[in-house]
Amino acid sequence: MGKEIITTISPITGQPLLIREGVSPEDFLSIVEKSSHAFSTFRHTHPLKRRQEVVKKALEILSRKSDLLAQELTEQMGRPIAYTGSEISTARMRAEYLLKVSDEVLRDSPGEEQEGFRRFIRKEPLGVILVIFAWNYPYLILINSLVPAILAGNTLLLKPSPQTPTVAEHIVSIFTEAGLPENVLQTVHCGAPKTLESFVSHPDIRSIAFTGSVSGGVAVQKAAASRVVPVGLELGGKDPAYVRPDVNLTWAAENIVDGAIFNSGQSCCSIERVYVHESVYDDFLKAAVKVLEGYKLGDPRDKNTQIGPVVSARSAKTISEHIKDAEARGAVNLTPKSVFAEGVRLGETFVRPELLAGCDHSMRIMTEETFGPTVPVMKVSNDEEAVKLMNDSRFGLTASIWTKDAEIGERLVERVEAGTVFVNRCDYPSPDLAWTGWKDSGRGVTLSKFGFEAFVKLKSFHLKSCPELDK
């Protein structure tokens, strides 16, 4: 059997952009062996302080390469060039927080004092970790696992999305330049699900960190099920927002529309459904239309473009199907179409933002992950109904409530079933807070002080002094 050929299709032109050769199961055996050997020395030759120095230097190099990396992101996944540079700076910010807390998080935890005894718990690295990460925010997603795993003393195999293959290659190069020993980081290109499943099931892979679709995460989980190995899953979302009647509607509409359509809605924590109190429903819709009129859909290489293409023709088809289903079931399309007419002519992946009124939970656009620039809105009569509908989902990644009364907002989000809840904010994983999904949105934690736990195992030391015996 020949090597797998992986082709990256440009979301801008629809033409082949990059070609990579996939790793075969036989090649993977050698890669894992090299990683295992690197682990046996790295954890001893590079104590935490030295690992911290390497990460700091790597972040400096990452920042110096920001313009190049941003340009490649725009070419490969289609986000406008006006915004891709901020992903690199945000990735560095996240990493710097993880660096800052690493001494505290990775130090030994003492047991209770007792004369003649010394007891403590140590956090030990796991070994070879397989990181499978998505294309939509590839540097941010990778940093979440990469930095705590390296600081803890592990070695990593980085499996990028075929859509953004150069991300892993750049990171390996950057960390090597920063002084990381050979084979502590390696890139593994793979586009075939069955081949990837064989990677996951390799007995020397000590942990898997997966970011992607629910179906992809379930497949990884099944592939790992024959042995006892931790699997971290960051999966999909159908994140709700609720607009209370006391909020400034212009301000709320600006933020909610941005939270729904930024990056063409291709974020696991994009707002994907909006509930608005009936007393301000019509006014909110008017405000949202006005906000949409200020956006430009166009070529992402143009610095004036705010919305670029979605990642693929298949993605565009899914978005279209959700919109048609909603309209067939009674939703009213309020999208100011003339604003985006020029942009949609650029190609089938140039999907205009869509504002849909009169939505309900009989529609796919309110229950399935759309992953596109849509703003479906449903009228509700009170807070109780809003919270009930927010929780009526198989997903639970983030949720937001928009209100002038922060105290009421906090009481309401306490009842919302999601890993991160916001009042008057959305679509922002803060590095000092745990990033975690409830329900089908995932399992495990990245970011915060808890984000290290997936990459260590605990070892208890119970040491007793030898008594002085009478001669």
Side-chain angles (χ1 to χ4, degrees), residues 329-341:
R329 295 173 184 273
V332 178
N333 197 318
L334 300 180
T335 307
K337 296 178 176 56
S338 60
V339 175
F340 307 112

Side-chain angles (χ1 to χ4, degrees), residues 72-100:
E72 287 188 358
L73 275 180
T74 294
E75 294 285 349
Q76 292 173 31
M77 54 78 61
R79 189 185 315 137
I81 191 65
Y83 308 120
T84 44
S86 65
E87 177 171 349
I88 308 304
S89 58
T90 303
R92 178 170 184 172
M93 180 191 71
R94 286 188 184 182
E96 286 174 340
Y97 170 80
L98 295 166
L99 267 170
K100 181 174 70 173

Side-chain angles (χ1 to χ4, degrees), residues 20 23 30 43 79 182 261 392 416:
R20 291 294 184 270
V23 170
S30 174
R43 58 180 302 197
R79 189 185 315 137
E182 187 179 16
I261 70 174
D392 182 24
V416 174

Side-chain angles (χ1 to χ4, degrees), residues 243-256 280 283-284 287 291 402-405 424:
V243 179
R244 297 191 74 245
D246 63 345
V247 77
N248 181 302
L249 292 177
T250 300
W251 175 77
E254 288 172 353
N255 282 274
I256 288 170
V280 294
D283 288 338
F284 175 84
V291 172
W402 302 78
T403 177
K404 281 185 178 178
D405 193 324
N424 299 327

Side-chain angles (χ1 to χ4, degrees), residues 131-147:
V131 180
I132 306 166
F133 62 105
W135 52 266
N136 56 323
Y137 282 97
Y139 285 101
L140 291 179
I141 295 167
L142 180 53
I143 283 291
N144 292 357
S145 299
L146 171 72
V147 170

Side-chain angles (χ1 to χ4, degrees), residues 212-251:
S213 66
V214 174
S215 59
V218 170
V220 166
Q221 186 172 254
K222 287 180 178 178
S226 62
R227 59 197 183 93
V228 181
V229 59
V231 180
L233 302 172
E234 184 186 329
L235 308 177
K238 193 68 185 175
D239 296 3
Y242 168 43
V243 179
R244 297 191 74 245
D246 63 345
V247 77
N248 181 302
L249 292 177
T250 300
W251 175 77

Side-chain angles (χ1 to χ4, degrees), residues 311-367:
V311 72
S312 66
R314 184 176 66 175
S315 178
K317 181 182 178 183
T318 297
I319 297 164
S320 176
E321 288 173 350
H322 283 199
I323 292 167
K324 290 177 180 177
D325 172 76
E327 291 174 333
R329 295 173 184 273
V332 178
N333 197 318
L334 300 180
T335 307
K337 296 178 176 56
S338 60
V339 175
F340 307 112
E342 183 178 347
V344 297
R345 285 196 289 268
L346 293 174
E348 62 182 328
T349 55
F350 287 82
V351 175
R352 68 172 172 244
E354 302 273 1
L355 175 64
L356 299 172
C359 295
D360 61 46
H361 281 217
S362 71
M363 303 170 185
R364 295 174 64 191
I365 204 163
M366 293 295 283
T367 57

Side-chain angles (χ1 to χ4, degrees), residues 111-170:
E112 290 193 348
E113 292 187 7
Q114 183 180 357
E115 186 177 351
F117 291 87
R118 189 162 66 94
R119 294 191 290 264
F120 59 91
I121 302 167
R122 179 162 293 164
K123 297 179 177 71
E124 299 272 357
L126 299 175
V128 182
I129 294 175
L130 176 61
V131 180
I132 306 166
F133 62 105
W135 52 266
N136 56 323
Y137 282 97
Y139 285 101
L140 291 179
I141 295 167
L142 180 53
I143 283 291
N144 292 357
S145 299
L146 171 72
V147 170
I150 287 291
L151 290 172
N154 298 283
T155 57
L156 287 80
L157 306 180
L158 310 181
K159 207 299 286 183
S161 164
Q163 193 65 43
T164 51
T166 61
V167 173
E169 296 166 358
H170 281 303

